[in-house]
Amino acid sequence: MHNGITCRFCKSPLQHTLVDLGMSPLCESYLKTEQLNQMEPFYPLHVYVCESCFLAQLEEYVNPGAIFSEYAYFSSYADSWLQHAKNYTDLMVERFGINAGNHVVELASNDGYLLQYFVQKGVPVLGIEPAANVARSAIEKGVPTLIKFFGEKTALEMVEEGKQADLLIGNNVLAQVPDLNDFVKGMKILLKPRGIITMEFPHLMRLIEENQFDTIYHEHFSYFSFISVERIFAAHGLKIFDVEELTTHGGSLRIYASHADDSTKPAGQHVTELKNRELAGGLAGIDYYFSFGEKVKETKRKILEFLIKVKREGKLVCGYGAPGKGNTLLNYCGIRTDFLEYTVDRNPYKHGKYTPGTHIPIYHPDKIKETQPDYLFILPWNFKEEIMRQMSYIKEWGGKFIVAIPEVKVYE
Ligand SMILES: [Zn+2]
């Protein structure tokens, strides 16, 4: 039976489920002690896939103003993410000759973690960031930032003020845009005639094939394959001329786009190769999307099976990290302090707070040394190598690491 909702991009009725993770609170709404006894809003985490354009998507259950006006995620707290940003800057300078005569604009520029590297090279930049608290942190480090949501209206205002972009960057923002068409239309408007857009977002093919169900949360409205994003860009007069597959966030795409009529940027072989791989994998057929839901349920059973076993043995299990993805996993699996005594995070904003829905206390990483857990459950598995290096001292007391995605695995 049709539920009345339609595709965010092509407006076809949405009638196929990719995965249903039940009800969950907003994954970035960490709680203070005095909020623990209050009601918490839970919303469905039910992902549909469109049978016409194959965009996987969540309904917009929550107004983005409520999610993004005060955001707890400061990009600068992850070392490998900063390195990624620096490498990207060097690449853009080298490949496209971005210099002091160009204008670089980043959409959802967070705390200036990326644009700061262009500033260091003397390139004029402008960040656009709706979360006031992180935007202020960017401004303090010398990255000019507009505190705004981006779309057609903001783009037109910027063009009026002569602020078109030679390089327009959007990393991990496309997924978070409720009005996708308005956003991409805005990018088309803001881009100079020979300008370049680069965007990074998690690759839906990797999400499905590597079981990354915990990267689904209310803040991520859309989940893209290459073929779906190409179709969306084409509808707005933009073409993708190159694509790279990155390891960030468990497997992301970095697309390079230009105006469709910019003949100086012909589509390269990576575009053809990835498109063919997706077509061969079946991503342009609805059947491809049907087995994921059952795989996710089985993963939940395995995670709980493991935790029940080690808790019966009397082991102390603690978390490492309190990322958004951790909260999807904890809520979906029903993991509370009965399994994870506490978790730790390097972001001081989260210290003394509790994970949404599951109420696991979040401490400074020093707590690990004090309590010497038998198992450290790494929630941000995309940083697992970095974390296992930093925390290798848990081996002194026989501590082990657990990672749950793509499957439950113990690292000694
Ligand atoms: Zn669609």
Side-chain angles (χ1 to χ4, degrees):
M1 200 166 69
H2 185 235
N3 53 22
I5 60 169
T6 56
C7 173
R8 167 167 297 122
F9 166 60
C10 77
K11 312 299 173 204
S12 303
L14 289 178
Q15 38 204 348
H16 300 290
T17 293
L18 176 67
V19 65
D20 184 356
L21 299 172
M23 300 291 285
S24 225
L26 295 183
C27 76
E28 295 286 343
S29 38
Y30 297 91
L31 303 173
K32 295 176 187 149
T33 310
E34 59 270 27
Q35 294 173 297
L36 289 177
N37 294 332
Q38 295 171 4
M39 276 199 293
E40 259 182 286
F42 276 56
Y43 304 91
L45 261 186
H46 187 156
V47 185
Y48 294 90
V49 60
C50 173
E51 65 184 349
S52 306
C53 71
F54 305 105
L55 180 67
Q57 54 200 292
L58 274 180
E59 213 180 322
E60 185 188 335
Y61 297 109
V62 195
N63 181 302
I67 303 177
F68 296 116
S69 57
E70 166 110 0
Y71 205 43
Y73 187 73
F74 284 71
S75 299
S76 298
Y77 287 108
D79 294 339
S80 55
W81 192 240
L82 284 177
Q83 188 60 46
H84 176 77
K86 187 170 188 311
N87 294 346
Y88 167 84
T89 309
D90 293 340
L91 180 72
M92 291 303 109
V93 168
E94 197 179 306
R95 178 168 175 187
F96 300 110
I98 299 298
N99 60 40
N102 294 131
H103 190 223
V104 175
V105 177
E106 186 184 11
L107 309 175
S109 48
N110 200 271
D111 59 0
Y113 75 101
L114 189 154
L115 288 179
Q116 64 181 342
Y117 296 112
F118 284 101
V119 171
Q120 281 173 16
K121 292 176 191 290
V123 179
V125 302
L126 180 63
I128 302 179
E129 171 54 57
N133 61 331
V134 289
R136 275 192 295 271
S137 158
I139 294 166
E140 278 162 25
K141 63 172 81 127
V143 176
T145 305
L146 278 181
I147 303 174
K148 267 194 171 169
F149 280 98
F150 182 76
E152 186 183 7
K153 185 169 166 282
T154 302
L156 288 169
E157 287 166 10
M158 290 172 71
V159 171
E160 191 94 334
E161 295 163 22
K163 289 176 180 159
Q164 270 191 304
D166 294 288
L167 175 60
L168 181 55
I169 308 167
N171 288 343
N172 300 301
V173 59
L174 204 55
Q176 304 185 352
V177 172
D179 191 345
L180 196 53
N181 287 316
D182 177 63
F183 190 88
V184 180
K185 201 185 236 176
M187 291 199 298
K188 166 85 179 167
I189 292 167
L190 193 59
L191 191 68
K192 286 191 188 170
R194 291 273 184 269
I196 295 156
I197 296 171
T198 80
M199 305 203 94
E200 293 176 24
F201 46 83
H203 189 187
L204 179 62
M205 185 165 79
R206 298 287 294 276
L207 187 156
I208 291 176
E209 289 176 4
E210 289 162 41
N211 198 26
Q212 299 162 354
F213 68 87
D214 61 344
T215 59
I216 293 166
Y217 33 92
H218 297 106
E219 289 81 342
H220 285 176
F221 300 117
S222 308
Y223 302 84
F224 304 92
S225 59
F226 183 80
I227 50 173
S228 64
V229 80
E230 189 183 48
R231 197 179 293 204
I232 294 161
F233 272 51
H236 293 281
L238 296 166
K239 70 159 191 264
I240 300 176
F241 64 89
D242 198 5
V243 61
E244 281 174 77
E245 289 174 82
L246 310 174
T247 56
T248 45
H249 295 289
S252 297
L253 295 181
R254 177 188 287 153
I255 55 167
Y256 294 79
S258 67
H259 290 286
D261 57 6
D262 180 352
S263 58
T264 63
K265 298 175 187 70
Q269 62 174 33
H270 293 132
V271 168
T272 323
E273 194 272 327
L274 180 59
K275 208 154 86 178
N276 288 341
R277 190 143 38 92
E278 284 193 355
L279 292 173
L283 275 83
I286 195 70
D287 291 351
Y288 173 83
Y289 301 90
F290 290 157
S291 57
F292 184 59
E294 181 51 36
K295 191 157 120 185
V296 171
K297 287 180 203 163
E298 180 55 18
T299 307
K300 170 175 177 169
R301 295 190 279 261
K302 283 184 174 152
I303 294 170
L304 289 174
E305 197 168 43
F306 176 84
L307 289 173
I308 290 167
K309 178 177 150 287
V310 296
K311 290 309 285 181
R312 284 208 171 115
E313 291 165 3
K315 305 292 189 197
L316 177 60
V317 188
C318 299
Y320 187 96
K325 59 165 67 71
N327 291 326
T328 293
L329 184 137
L330 297 171
N331 277 290
Y332 173 62
C333 295
I335 297 169
R336 299 182 177 77
T337 51
D338 42 4
F339 290 117
L340 286 193
E341 200 91 353
Y342 63 83
T343 190
V344 299
D345 202 277
R346 289 173 72 194
N347 182 348
Y349 182 91
K350 296 177 185 173
H351 296 162
K353 296 202 169 88
Y354 296 81
T355 58
T358 52
H359 298 193
I360 297 171
I362 308 166
Y363 298 111
H364 185 279
D366 283 353
K367 184 87 173 171
I368 304 282
K369 264 193 184 119
E370 280 167 41
T371 59
Q372 306 200 343
D374 300 293
Y375 291 96
L376 204 52
F377 193 143
I378 300 180
L379 294 166
W381 46 260
N382 48 320
F383 294 124
K384 69 172 185 287
E385 278 86 17
E386 179 181 339
I387 292 166
M388 287 195 276
R389 257 197 318 276
Q390 275 168 15
M391 304 303 294
S392 62
Y393 60 78
I394 70 165
K395 292 173 191 165
E396 287 167 22
W397 60 81
K400 295 169 187 167
F401 298 99
I402 318 167
V403 177
I405 308 291
E407 55 188 351
V408 182
K409 204 169 163 188
V410 175
Y411 294 83
E412 309 220 347

